Each structure stands twice: as C-alpha cells, then as structure tokens.
Amino acid sequence: MTTGRPSWVAVRLHAALTEADRPLRARSLAYDLGLSAAEVTAELRHLQDLGAATSRDRRWTVATADLNAAVDRAAATATSAPRRTA
C-alpha cells in the first residue's frame, strides 16, 4: 500500500467487518466474499498492522470506522521513521 490507497480486498474486508454485528472468522469472510482464505488472512493481518482491524480468538472486528485515515496514519509513520543504514 505504498500509494496511500487501500487495496480493493482491504476495502471489501473492512466494509464487511464494519457491517457485521459480531466478530467474524477469516474463513467465513473468505467464503462470503468469494476469496481464498489465505488472501483474506493476509489482508486482515495487514489491516491489523494499520490499526483498522483487531483479532481475538481468531475472530476479527473493525477497530476504526475510517480505513483511509488508518492508511494515511501508517504512511505518515512509515515516512517519518528514521532509515537504518548498514
């Protein structure tokens, strides 16, 4: 997500989590969205890294209603972090 925009998979997952009335498993999300479980799990972990989703007992919930703000915060943090040199 170097362009500052979330992927279409992230947008669909975030929307599904936002609309859910309970925490969801990655496998259920994959089935509902017609995606592979591996793809959904990887994208959920990325959303978790951004602070947009959380996981407890392998069930996922939305952490912030504004996905774009989470992406922007992560991009700002990544660009302001000092680079390591070897």
Side-chain angles (χ1 to χ4, degrees), residues 31-60:
Y31 179 80
D32 291 344
L33 298 174
L35 302 168
S36 73
E39 183 178 16
V40 167
T41 300
E43 196 62 42
L44 283 169
R45 288 185 180 145
H46 189 237
L47 287 173
Q48 186 176 33
D49 292 343
L50 294 173
T54 60
S55 173
R56 183 171 179 178
D57 296 329
R58 297 187 318 175
R59 288 171 176 80
W60 293 88

Side-chain angles (χ1 to χ4, degrees):
M1 285 196 195
T2 58
T3 62
R5 292 186 356 213
S7 71
W8 67 272
V9 175
V11 172
R12 290 178 67 193
L13 285 172
H14 191 264
L17 289 174
T18 302
E19 294 172 6
D21 59 350
R22 59 181 168 72
L24 299 171
R25 287 191 177 254
R27 203 178 285 177
S28 295
L29 286 164
Y31 179 80
D32 291 344
L33 298 174
L35 302 168
S36 73
E39 183 178 16
V40 167
T41 300
E43 196 62 42
L44 283 169
R45 288 185 180 145
H46 189 237
L47 287 173
Q48 186 176 33
D49 292 343
L50 294 173
T54 60
S55 173
R56 183 171 179 178
D57 296 329
R58 297 187 318 175
R59 288 171 176 80
W60 293 88
T61 57
V62 71
T64 180
D66 191 354
L67 178 58
N68 288 321
V71 171
D72 292 343
R73 272 192 313 274
T77 302
T79 57
S80 67
R83 293 185 180 194
R84 293 185 184 179
T85 56

